[in-house]
Amino acid sequence: MFCWAHLSTARQASQGYALMLRGLYKNSVPVIQPSQLAAQLKTNPQNFVLLDVRTPKEYQVSHLTGARFLHYNKVSDKQLKALPKDKTMVVYCSVGYRSERLGEKLLALGYKNVVNLYGGLFQWVNEGLPVVNEKGPTAKVHAYSKTWGIWLTKGEKVYD
């Protein structure tokens, strides 16, 4: 049985999330939609470097397949300069704020192809796209905090 109330609530949550992101983002790094990235990763995965810039605990719970971990607060310019310049750097975090800051650093270091995953890992999972951990596919997602976790509408929320 179809529930119109659930659809309306989901739409409102999605609109609320988009509004929150509009206020959070500085639009200093181009964004890529999760569905667009997923499609491009299926056809040309070799063209991308996925950079998860959350904390170690967040990354351990789950991340995008093939993502490299770079600790947002501890990454050095030396580590960033070691990344390939001939690939598109896709930065992401929980919602896209920390990753936008790291994307700004990459652009300042001369990287030309840098994109921020719109809505971060939360939006990726909210759209039903897969995440993994060291054991393989998982439904678990580190929700960062109870405050931010409200934006994660799918998956199994994990808090430290």
Side-chain angles (χ1 to χ4, degrees), residues 28-82:
S28 53
V29 177
V31 296
I32 187 167
Q33 294 295 325
S35 58
Q36 181 184 6
L37 177 60
Q40 291 183 22
L41 287 173
K42 280 185 182 176
T43 57
N44 295 304
Q46 70 283 357
N47 292 344
F48 299 90
V49 175
L50 305 175
L51 301 173
D52 186 313
V53 304
R54 300 173 302 151
T55 66
K57 284 185 180 181
E58 289 173 282
Y59 180 83
Q60 288 167 357
V61 170
S62 65
H63 51 270
L64 300 186
T65 300
R68 296 183 189 186
F69 172 73
L70 288 178
H71 194 295
Y72 169 75
N73 288 328
K74 298 180 181 179
V75 65
S76 68
D77 283 357
K78 183 178 179 181
Q79 286 175 287
L80 295 177
K81 288 177 182 176

Side-chain angles (χ1 to χ4, degrees), residues 4-150:
W4 287 103
H6 184 268
L7 179 62
S8 178
T9 302
R11 187 175 295 127
Q12 286 173 344
S14 179
Q15 290 170 345
Y17 191 52
L19 184 61
M20 185 274 299
L21 292 176
R22 242 190 325 270
L24 203 59
Y25 288 4
K26 292 175 19 181
N27 298 310
S28 53
V29 177
V31 296
I32 187 167
Q33 294 295 325
S35 58
Q36 181 184 6
L37 177 60
Q40 291 183 22
L41 287 173
K42 280 185 182 176
T43 57
N44 295 304
Q46 70 283 357
N47 292 344
F48 299 90
V49 175
L50 305 175
L51 301 173
D52 186 313
V53 304
R54 300 173 302 151
T55 66
K57 284 185 180 181
E58 289 173 282
Y59 180 83
Q60 288 167 357
V61 170
S62 65
H63 51 270
L64 300 186
T65 300
R68 296 183 189 186
F69 172 73
L70 288 178
H71 194 295
Y72 169 75
N73 288 328
K74 298 180 181 179
V75 65
S76 68
D77 283 357
K78 183 178 179 181
Q79 286 175 287
L80 295 177
K81 288 177 182 176
L83 296 169
K85 294 216 183 214
D86 62 338
K87 309 230 184 249
T88 298
M89 299 290 123
V90 180
V91 292
Y92 74 90
C93 61
S94 296
V95 299
Y97 177 80
R98 292 174 285 177
S99 52
E100 186 179 54
R101 301 295 74 76
L102 194 89
E104 291 169 350
K105 287 182 183 180
L106 288 167
L107 290 170
L109 290 171
Y111 286 84
K112 302 290 184 215
N113 298 316
V114 179
V115 293
N116 188 20
L117 181 62
Y118 177 80
L121 190 69
F122 287 10
Q123 185 66 29
W124 179 270
V125 171
N126 288 345
E127 291 185 20
L129 296 165
V131 290
V132 298
N133 61 25
E134 65 182 14
K135 296 177 184 174
T138 184
K140 294 181 179 181
V141 179
H142 196 290
Y144 189 74
S145 71
K146 299 278 184 184
T147 302
W148 288 103
I150 63 169

